[in-house]
Short mmCIF file of all heavy atoms in Angstrom, two decimals:
data_model
loop_
_atom_site.label_atom_id
_atom_site.label_comp_id
_atom_site.label_asym_id
_atom_site.label_seq_id
_atom_site.Cartn_x
_atom_site.Cartn_y
_atom_site.Cartn_z
N TRP A 321 6.07 -5.59 19.57
CA TRP A 321 4.73 -5.00 19.58
C TRP A 321 4.88 -3.52 19.23
O TRP A 321 5.39 -2.74 20.02
CB TRP A 321 4.07 -5.13 20.95
CG TRP A 321 3.60 -6.50 21.31
CD1 TRP A 321 4.18 -7.35 22.20
CD2 TRP A 321 2.44 -7.17 20.80
NE1 TRP A 321 3.47 -8.52 22.28
CE2 TRP A 321 2.38 -8.44 21.43
CE3 TRP A 321 1.45 -6.84 19.87
CZ2 TRP A 321 1.37 -9.36 21.16
CZ3 TRP A 321 0.44 -7.76 19.62
CH2 TRP A 321 0.40 -9.01 20.26
N VAL A 322 4.44 -3.14 18.04
CA VAL A 322 4.64 -1.76 17.60
C VAL A 322 3.35 -0.97 17.78
O VAL A 322 2.28 -1.39 17.31
CB VAL A 322 5.05 -1.73 16.11
CG1 VAL A 322 5.12 -0.30 15.59
CG2 VAL A 322 6.39 -2.41 15.94
N GLU A 323 3.45 0.16 18.42
CA GLU A 323 2.26 0.99 18.61
C GLU A 323 1.92 1.69 17.29
O GLU A 323 2.78 2.30 16.67
CB GLU A 323 2.52 2.05 19.69
CG GLU A 323 1.27 2.81 20.04
CD GLU A 323 1.52 4.27 20.37
OE1 GLU A 323 2.55 4.58 20.98
OE2 GLU A 323 0.67 5.09 19.99
N ILE A 324 0.67 1.59 16.88
CA ILE A 324 0.30 2.25 15.63
C ILE A 324 -0.79 3.30 15.77
O ILE A 324 -0.93 4.16 14.92
CB ILE A 324 -0.11 1.23 14.54
CG1 ILE A 324 -1.13 0.24 15.09
CG2 ILE A 324 1.10 0.53 13.96
CD1 ILE A 324 -1.64 -0.73 14.03
N TRP A 325 -1.58 3.22 16.82
CA TRP A 325 -2.74 4.15 16.88
C TRP A 325 -3.07 4.43 18.34
O TRP A 325 -2.89 3.57 19.19
CB TRP A 325 -3.94 3.50 16.17
CG TRP A 325 -4.98 4.46 15.67
CD1 TRP A 325 -5.08 5.80 15.88
CD2 TRP A 325 -6.11 4.11 14.85
NE1 TRP A 325 -6.19 6.31 15.24
CE2 TRP A 325 -6.84 5.29 14.60
CE3 TRP A 325 -6.58 2.92 14.30
CZ2 TRP A 325 -8.01 5.31 13.82
CZ3 TRP A 325 -7.73 2.94 13.53
CH2 TRP A 325 -8.44 4.13 13.30
N ASN A 326 -3.54 5.62 18.55
CA ASN A 326 -3.84 6.05 19.90
C ASN A 326 -5.20 6.76 19.91
O ASN A 326 -5.39 7.74 19.21
CB ASN A 326 -2.73 7.03 20.34
CG ASN A 326 -2.88 7.49 21.76
OD1 ASN A 326 -3.70 6.97 22.50
ND2 ASN A 326 -2.07 8.47 22.14
N ASP A 327 -6.14 6.22 20.67
CA ASP A 327 -7.44 6.89 20.83
C ASP A 327 -7.45 7.57 22.20
O ASP A 327 -7.40 6.89 23.23
CB ASP A 327 -8.60 5.89 20.79
CG ASP A 327 -8.81 5.29 19.41
OD1 ASP A 327 -8.09 5.69 18.47
OD2 ASP A 327 -9.70 4.43 19.27
N VAL A 328 -7.50 8.89 22.18
CA VAL A 328 -7.51 9.62 23.46
C VAL A 328 -8.94 10.04 23.78
O VAL A 328 -9.64 10.55 22.90
CB VAL A 328 -6.63 10.88 23.39
CG1 VAL A 328 -6.52 11.53 24.78
CG2 VAL A 328 -5.26 10.56 22.84
N PHE A 329 -9.34 9.83 25.02
CA PHE A 329 -10.66 10.29 25.44
C PHE A 329 -10.47 11.59 26.20
O PHE A 329 -10.25 11.60 27.41
CB PHE A 329 -11.35 9.18 26.23
CG PHE A 329 -11.43 7.91 25.42
CD1 PHE A 329 -10.73 6.76 25.78
CD2 PHE A 329 -12.16 7.89 24.23
CE1 PHE A 329 -10.76 5.62 24.99
CE2 PHE A 329 -12.20 6.75 23.43
CZ PHE A 329 -11.50 5.62 23.81
N MET A 330 -10.52 12.66 25.46
CA MET A 330 -10.17 13.97 26.03
C MET A 330 -11.34 14.53 26.80
O MET A 330 -12.27 15.10 26.22
CB MET A 330 -9.78 14.92 24.92
CG MET A 330 -8.45 14.53 24.34
SD MET A 330 -7.54 15.97 23.84
CE MET A 330 -5.88 15.34 24.00
N THR A 331 -11.25 14.35 28.09
CA THR A 331 -12.38 14.75 28.92
C THR A 331 -11.95 15.71 30.02
O THR A 331 -12.78 16.20 30.76
CB THR A 331 -13.01 13.51 29.57
OG1 THR A 331 -11.97 12.55 29.81
CG2 THR A 331 -14.01 12.88 28.62
N TYR A 332 -10.62 15.97 30.13
CA TYR A 332 -10.13 16.82 31.21
C TYR A 332 -9.41 18.06 30.66
O TYR A 332 -8.89 18.05 29.55
CB TYR A 332 -9.14 16.06 32.10
CG TYR A 332 -9.78 14.93 32.86
CD1 TYR A 332 -9.87 13.66 32.29
CD2 TYR A 332 -10.30 15.13 34.13
CE1 TYR A 332 -10.47 12.61 32.97
CE2 TYR A 332 -10.89 14.09 34.83
CZ TYR A 332 -10.97 12.84 34.25
OH TYR A 332 -11.56 11.80 34.92
N ASN A 333 -9.41 19.09 31.50
CA ASN A 333 -8.59 20.26 31.23
C ASN A 333 -7.63 20.41 32.39
O ASN A 333 -8.04 20.45 33.55
CB ASN A 333 -9.48 21.51 31.13
CG ASN A 333 -8.67 22.77 31.00
OD1 ASN A 333 -7.64 22.79 30.33
ND2 ASN A 333 -9.10 23.84 31.65
N ARG A 334 -6.34 20.48 32.09
CA ARG A 334 -5.38 20.71 33.16
C ARG A 334 -5.24 22.21 33.36
O ARG A 334 -4.97 22.94 32.41
CB ARG A 334 -4.03 20.09 32.83
CG ARG A 334 -3.06 20.13 33.98
CD ARG A 334 -1.75 19.45 33.62
NE ARG A 334 -0.95 19.18 34.79
CZ ARG A 334 -0.08 20.05 35.31
NH1 ARG A 334 0.07 21.23 34.77
NH2 ARG A 334 0.63 19.73 36.38
N THR A 335 -5.45 22.65 34.59
CA THR A 335 -5.42 24.10 34.86
C THR A 335 -4.01 24.54 35.23
O THR A 335 -3.14 23.70 35.48
CB THR A 335 -6.35 24.46 36.02
OG1 THR A 335 -5.83 23.86 37.21
CG2 THR A 335 -7.77 23.98 35.78
N LYS A 336 -3.84 25.87 35.32
CA LYS A 336 -2.54 26.43 35.71
C LYS A 336 -2.06 25.90 37.05
O LYS A 336 -0.88 25.73 37.29
CB LYS A 336 -2.67 27.97 35.82
CG LYS A 336 -2.30 28.69 34.54
CD LYS A 336 -1.91 30.13 34.85
CE LYS A 336 -3.04 31.00 34.95
NZ LYS A 336 -3.69 31.96 34.40
N GLU A 337 -3.04 25.64 37.93
CA GLU A 337 -2.71 25.16 39.27
C GLU A 337 -2.40 23.67 39.28
O GLU A 337 -2.11 23.10 40.33
CB GLU A 337 -3.86 25.43 40.25
CG GLU A 337 -4.18 26.90 40.50
CD GLU A 337 -4.91 27.56 39.32
OE1 GLU A 337 -5.71 26.86 38.66
OE2 GLU A 337 -4.64 28.74 39.04
N GLY A 338 -2.51 23.03 38.13
CA GLY A 338 -2.23 21.60 38.06
C GLY A 338 -3.42 20.73 38.41
O GLY A 338 -3.28 19.54 38.65
N LYS A 339 -4.60 21.34 38.44
CA LYS A 339 -5.81 20.55 38.72
C LYS A 339 -6.38 20.01 37.40
O LYS A 339 -6.20 20.60 36.35
CB LYS A 339 -6.87 21.46 39.35
CG LYS A 339 -6.57 21.88 40.76
CD LYS A 339 -7.91 22.07 41.52
CE LYS A 339 -7.68 22.52 42.92
NZ LYS A 339 -7.24 23.94 42.99
N TYR A 340 -7.13 18.92 37.54
CA TYR A 340 -7.79 18.36 36.36
C TYR A 340 -9.30 18.57 36.48
O TYR A 340 -9.94 18.00 37.35
CB TYR A 340 -7.46 16.88 36.22
CG TYR A 340 -6.02 16.67 35.85
CD1 TYR A 340 -5.02 16.63 36.83
CD2 TYR A 340 -5.64 16.56 34.52
CE1 TYR A 340 -3.69 16.49 36.49
CE2 TYR A 340 -4.30 16.40 34.17
CZ TYR A 340 -3.33 16.37 35.16
OH TYR A 340 -2.01 16.23 34.82
N GLU A 341 -9.83 19.42 35.62
CA GLU A 341 -11.27 19.69 35.65
C GLU A 341 -11.91 18.97 34.48
O GLU A 341 -11.31 18.84 33.42
CB GLU A 341 -11.51 21.18 35.43
CG GLU A 341 -11.08 22.04 36.58
CD GLU A 341 -11.12 23.52 36.20
OE1 GLU A 341 -11.24 23.83 34.99
OE2 GLU A 341 -11.02 24.34 37.11
N LEU A 342 -13.16 18.57 34.67
CA LEU A 342 -13.86 17.94 33.55
C LEU A 342 -14.15 19.01 32.50
O LEU A 342 -14.53 20.13 32.82
CB LEU A 342 -15.17 17.32 34.02
CG LEU A 342 -15.04 15.94 34.65
CD1 LEU A 342 -16.40 15.46 35.13
CD2 LEU A 342 -14.43 14.92 33.69
N LEU A 343 -13.95 18.66 31.24
CA LEU A 343 -14.27 19.59 30.15
C LEU A 343 -15.79 19.67 29.98
O LEU A 343 -16.52 18.80 30.44
CB LEU A 343 -13.66 19.10 28.84
CG LEU A 343 -12.16 19.25 28.67
CD1 LEU A 343 -11.71 18.46 27.44
CD2 LEU A 343 -11.78 20.72 28.50
N LYS A 344 -16.22 20.70 29.25
CA LYS A 344 -17.65 20.86 28.99
C LYS A 344 -18.21 19.68 28.21
O LYS A 344 -19.37 19.36 28.25
CB LYS A 344 -17.87 22.12 28.13
CG LYS A 344 -17.87 23.39 28.93
CD LYS A 344 -18.36 24.53 28.04
CE LYS A 344 -17.37 25.67 28.15
NZ LYS A 344 -17.22 26.50 27.00
N GLN A 345 -17.36 19.07 27.40
CA GLN A 345 -17.84 18.00 26.52
C GLN A 345 -16.86 16.84 26.52
O GLN A 345 -15.68 17.00 26.84
CB GLN A 345 -17.99 18.56 25.11
CG GLN A 345 -16.66 19.01 24.51
CD GLN A 345 -16.82 19.87 23.27
OE1 GLN A 345 -17.77 20.61 23.12
NE2 GLN A 345 -15.85 19.78 22.37
N LYS A 346 -17.36 15.67 26.13
CA LYS A 346 -16.49 14.51 26.03
C LYS A 346 -16.00 14.40 24.59
O LYS A 346 -16.81 14.25 23.67
CB LYS A 346 -17.27 13.25 26.38
CG LYS A 346 -17.62 13.13 27.83
CD LYS A 346 -18.37 11.83 28.02
CE LYS A 346 -18.67 11.59 29.49
NZ LYS A 346 -19.52 10.41 29.65
N ASN A 347 -14.68 14.44 24.41
CA ASN A 347 -14.12 14.41 23.06
C ASN A 347 -13.36 13.12 22.79
O ASN A 347 -12.89 12.47 23.72
CB ASN A 347 -13.09 15.54 22.89
CG ASN A 347 -13.66 16.89 23.23
OD1 ASN A 347 -14.54 17.40 22.55
ND2 ASN A 347 -13.16 17.48 24.31
N VAL A 348 -13.22 12.82 21.53
CA VAL A 348 -12.30 11.76 21.11
C VAL A 348 -11.24 12.41 20.23
O VAL A 348 -11.56 13.23 19.36
CB VAL A 348 -13.02 10.66 20.31
CG1 VAL A 348 -12.02 9.63 19.80
CG2 VAL A 348 -14.09 9.99 21.17
N ASP A 349 -9.97 12.07 20.47
CA ASP A 349 -8.86 12.57 19.65
C ASP A 349 -8.02 11.37 19.30
O ASP A 349 -7.43 10.75 20.19
CB ASP A 349 -8.05 13.58 20.48
CG ASP A 349 -6.59 13.63 20.06
OD1 ASP A 349 -6.30 13.50 18.85
OD2 ASP A 349 -5.72 13.79 20.96
N THR A 350 -7.98 10.98 18.04
CA THR A 350 -7.15 9.82 17.73
C THR A 350 -5.99 10.22 16.83
O THR A 350 -6.08 11.18 16.07
CB THR A 350 -7.93 8.66 17.05
OG1 THR A 350 -7.82 8.77 15.64
CG2 THR A 350 -9.37 8.63 17.49
N GLY A 351 -4.90 9.48 16.95
CA GLY A 351 -3.72 9.76 16.14
C GLY A 351 -3.05 8.47 15.69
O GLY A 351 -2.72 7.62 16.52
N MET A 352 -2.90 8.32 14.38
CA MET A 352 -2.23 7.14 13.84
C MET A 352 -1.00 7.61 13.07
O MET A 352 -1.12 8.46 12.19
CB MET A 352 -3.19 6.40 12.90
CG MET A 352 -2.56 5.20 12.21
SD MET A 352 -3.62 4.56 10.90
CE MET A 352 -4.48 3.30 11.76
N GLY A 353 0.16 7.08 13.42
CA GLY A 353 1.38 7.50 12.74
C GLY A 353 1.41 6.93 11.33
O GLY A 353 1.36 5.72 11.14
N LEU A 354 1.48 7.81 10.35
CA LEU A 354 1.42 7.35 8.96
C LEU A 354 2.62 6.48 8.60
O LEU A 354 2.48 5.39 8.03
CB LEU A 354 1.35 8.56 8.01
CG LEU A 354 1.41 8.22 6.53
CD1 LEU A 354 0.04 7.80 6.01
CD2 LEU A 354 1.92 9.39 5.70
N GLU A 355 3.81 6.95 8.93
CA GLU A 355 5.03 6.24 8.52
C GLU A 355 5.08 4.84 9.10
O GLU A 355 5.36 3.86 8.41
CB GLU A 355 6.28 7.02 8.95
CG GLU A 355 6.48 8.37 8.26
CD GLU A 355 5.60 9.49 8.80
OE1 GLU A 355 4.78 9.23 9.72
OE2 GLU A 355 5.69 10.62 8.30
N ARG A 356 4.80 4.78 10.41
CA ARG A 356 4.88 3.49 11.10
C ARG A 356 3.84 2.51 10.59
O ARG A 356 4.12 1.33 10.39
CB ARG A 356 4.60 3.74 12.57
CG ARG A 356 5.77 3.37 13.41
CD ARG A 356 5.33 3.37 14.81
NE ARG A 356 6.12 4.35 15.55
CZ ARG A 356 5.92 4.55 16.84
NH1 ARG A 356 4.96 3.94 17.48
NH2 ARG A 356 6.69 5.40 17.47
N THR A 357 2.62 3.02 10.40
CA THR A 357 1.56 2.13 9.93
C THR A 357 1.87 1.62 8.53
O THR A 357 1.65 0.45 8.21
CB THR A 357 0.21 2.88 9.96
OG1 THR A 357 0.05 3.43 11.26
CG2 THR A 357 -0.94 1.95 9.66
N LEU A 358 2.44 2.50 7.72
CA LEU A 358 2.81 2.11 6.37
C LEU A 358 3.84 0.98 6.40
O LEU A 358 3.77 0.01 5.64
CB LEU A 358 3.37 3.33 5.63
CG LEU A 358 3.43 3.25 4.12
CD1 LEU A 358 2.04 3.10 3.54
CD2 LEU A 358 4.11 4.50 3.55
N ALA A 359 4.80 1.10 7.31
CA ALA A 359 5.83 0.06 7.44
C ALA A 359 5.19 -1.26 7.87
O ALA A 359 5.49 -2.32 7.31
CB ALA A 359 6.89 0.50 8.45
N VAL A 360 4.29 -1.17 8.85
CA VAL A 360 3.65 -2.39 9.36
C VAL A 360 2.83 -3.09 8.28
O VAL A 360 2.96 -4.29 8.05
CB VAL A 360 2.76 -2.05 10.58
CG1 VAL A 360 1.81 -3.18 10.90
CG2 VAL A 360 3.64 -1.72 11.79
N ILE A 361 2.00 -2.32 7.57
CA ILE A 361 1.13 -2.92 6.55
C ILE A 361 1.97 -3.61 5.48
O ILE A 361 1.63 -4.66 4.96
CB ILE A 361 0.28 -1.85 5.82
CG1 ILE A 361 -0.60 -1.11 6.80
CG2 ILE A 361 -0.57 -2.48 4.73
CD1 ILE A 361 -1.31 0.06 6.14
N ASN A 362 3.08 -2.99 5.12
CA ASN A 362 3.89 -3.52 4.03
C ASN A 362 4.99 -4.49 4.50
O ASN A 362 5.89 -4.82 3.74
CB ASN A 362 4.50 -2.36 3.23
CG ASN A 362 3.44 -1.59 2.47
OD1 ASN A 362 2.56 -2.17 1.84
ND2 ASN A 362 3.49 -0.27 2.55
N HIS A 363 4.90 -4.90 5.77
CA HIS A 363 5.85 -5.85 6.35
C HIS A 363 7.30 -5.37 6.19
O HIS A 363 8.19 -6.15 5.84
CB HIS A 363 5.71 -7.24 5.72
CG HIS A 363 4.30 -7.72 5.67
ND1 HIS A 363 3.62 -8.11 6.79
CD2 HIS A 363 3.42 -7.83 4.64
CE1 HIS A 363 2.38 -8.45 6.46
NE2 HIS A 363 2.24 -8.28 5.16
N LEU A 364 7.52 -4.10 6.41
CA LEU A 364 8.87 -3.57 6.30
C LEU A 364 9.49 -3.44 7.69
O LEU A 364 8.77 -3.19 8.65
CB LEU A 364 8.84 -2.19 5.62
CG LEU A 364 8.29 -2.21 4.19
CD1 LEU A 364 8.01 -0.81 3.69
CD2 LEU A 364 9.27 -2.94 3.27
N PRO A 365 10.81 -3.62 7.78
CA PRO A 365 11.42 -3.62 9.11
C PRO A 365 11.33 -2.26 9.83
O PRO A 365 11.31 -2.23 11.05
CB PRO A 365 12.89 -3.97 8.85
CG PRO A 365 13.07 -4.02 7.38
CD PRO A 365 11.73 -3.99 6.72
N SER A 366 11.30 -1.14 9.11
CA SER A 366 11.18 0.15 9.80
C SER A 366 10.65 1.20 8.83
O SER A 366 10.51 0.95 7.63
CB SER A 366 12.54 0.60 10.34
OG SER A 366 13.28 1.24 9.31
N VAL A 367 10.39 2.38 9.35
CA VAL A 367 9.88 3.47 8.50
C VAL A 367 10.88 3.84 7.41
O VAL A 367 10.50 4.36 6.36
CB VAL A 367 9.57 4.73 9.33
CG1 VAL A 367 8.47 4.45 10.34
CG2 VAL A 367 10.81 5.28 10.03
N PHE A 368 12.15 3.54 7.65
CA PHE A 368 13.18 3.94 6.68
C PHE A 368 13.17 3.10 5.41
O PHE A 368 13.83 3.42 4.45
CB PHE A 368 14.56 3.93 7.35
CG PHE A 368 14.65 4.94 8.46
CD1 PHE A 368 14.49 4.56 9.79
CD2 PHE A 368 14.82 6.28 8.18
CE1 PHE A 368 14.53 5.50 10.81
CE2 PHE A 368 14.85 7.23 9.19
CZ PHE A 368 14.70 6.83 10.50
N GLU A 369 12.42 2.00 5.44
CA GLU A 369 12.29 1.19 4.22
C GLU A 369 11.01 1.55 3.45
O GLU A 369 10.72 0.96 2.42
CB GLU A 369 12.28 -0.30 4.57
CG GLU A 369 13.65 -0.87 4.85
CD GLU A 369 14.17 -0.52 6.22
OE1 GLU A 369 13.34 -0.23 7.11
OE2 GLU A 369 15.40 -0.52 6.42
N THR A 370 10.22 2.50 3.94
CA THR A 370 9.00 2.88 3.23
C THR A 370 9.33 3.85 2.11
O THR A 370 10.41 4.45 2.08
CB THR A 370 7.98 3.56 4.16
OG1 THR A 370 8.52 4.82 4.58
CG2 THR A 370 7.66 2.70 5.37
N GLU A 371 8.35 4.05 1.23
CA GLU A 371 8.55 4.95 0.10
C GLU A 371 8.74 6.40 0.55
O GLU A 371 9.11 7.25 -0.25
CB GLU A 371 7.34 4.87 -0.83
CG GLU A 371 6.05 5.15 -0.08
CD GLU A 371 4.87 5.45 -0.98
OE1 GLU A 371 5.06 5.94 -2.11
OE2 GLU A 371 3.74 5.19 -0.54
N LEU A 372 8.47 6.67 1.83
CA LEU A 372 8.65 8.04 2.34
C LEU A 372 10.11 8.31 2.68
O LEU A 372 10.48 9.44 3.01
CB LEU A 372 7.75 8.28 3.55
CG LEU A 372 6.25 8.08 3.28
CD1 LEU A 372 5.44 8.13 4.56
CD2 LEU A 372 5.74 9.12 2.29
N PHE A 373 10.94 7.26 2.65
CA PHE A 373 12.36 7.44 2.96
C PHE A 373 13.31 6.86 1.91
O PHE A 373 14.41 7.37 1.74
CB PHE A 373 12.70 6.82 4.33
CG PHE A 373 12.42 7.76 5.46
CD1 PHE A 373 11.27 7.65 6.21
CD2 PHE A 373 13.31 8.79 5.76
CE1 PHE A 373 10.99 8.55 7.24
CE2 PHE A 373 13.05 9.68 6.78
CZ PHE A 373 11.89 9.56 7.52
N VAL A 374 12.88 5.79 1.25
CA VAL A 374 13.81 5.08 0.35
C VAL A 374 14.49 6.02 -0.66
O VAL A 374 15.71 5.98 -0.83
CB VAL A 374 13.09 3.89 -0.34
CG1 VAL A 374 13.89 3.37 -1.50
CG2 VAL A 374 12.85 2.79 0.69
N PRO A 375 13.73 6.90 -1.33
CA PRO A 375 14.40 7.77 -2.31
C PRO A 375 15.42 8.72 -1.66
O PRO A 375 16.41 9.08 -2.29
CB PRO A 375 13.26 8.59 -2.91
CG PRO A 375 12.00 7.87 -2.56
CD PRO A 375 12.27 7.13 -1.29
N LEU A 376 15.18 9.09 -0.41
CA LEU A 376 16.11 10.01 0.27
C LEU A 376 17.39 9.28 0.65
O LEU A 376 18.50 9.78 0.48
CB LEU A 376 15.45 10.62 1.51
CG LEU A 376 14.13 11.34 1.25
CD1 LEU A 376 13.55 11.91 2.55
CD2 LEU A 376 14.32 12.46 0.24
N ILE A 377 17.22 8.07 1.16
CA ILE A 377 18.40 7.27 1.52
C ILE A 377 19.18 6.95 0.24
O ILE A 377 20.42 6.98 0.23
CB ILE A 377 17.94 5.99 2.25
CG1 ILE A 377 17.12 6.42 3.46
CG2 ILE A 377 19.13 5.08 2.56
CD1 ILE A 377 17.43 5.93 4.78
N GLY A 378 18.46 6.66 -0.83
CA GLY A 378 19.11 6.40 -2.11
C GLY A 378 19.95 7.59 -2.55
O GLY A 378 21.07 7.43 -3.05
#
Side-chain angles (χ1 to χ4, degrees):
W321 286 106
V322 174
E323 188 215 323
I324 49 176
W325 203 351
N326 184 9
D327 290 358
V328 187
F329 303 114
M330 289 214 153
T331 33
Y332 294 88
N333 174 38
R334 188 178 194 273
T335 66
K336 267 203 276 251
E337 296 75 34
K339 289 211 181 73
Y340 291 85
E341 290 170 347
L342 278 178
L343 286 169
K344 278 191 230 149
Q345 63 194 31
K346 289 181 176 174
N347 305 293
V348 175
D349 151 37
T350 94
M352 176 190 265
L354 175 82
E355 294 78 359
R356 242 192 240 180
T357 308
L358 198 62
V360 165
I361 300 173
N362 292 315
H363 311 288
L364 298 168
S366 83
V367 297
F368 297 99
E369 282 78 23
T370 67
E371 55 165 333
L372 301 172
F373 275 100
V374 166
L376 304 180
I377 303 232

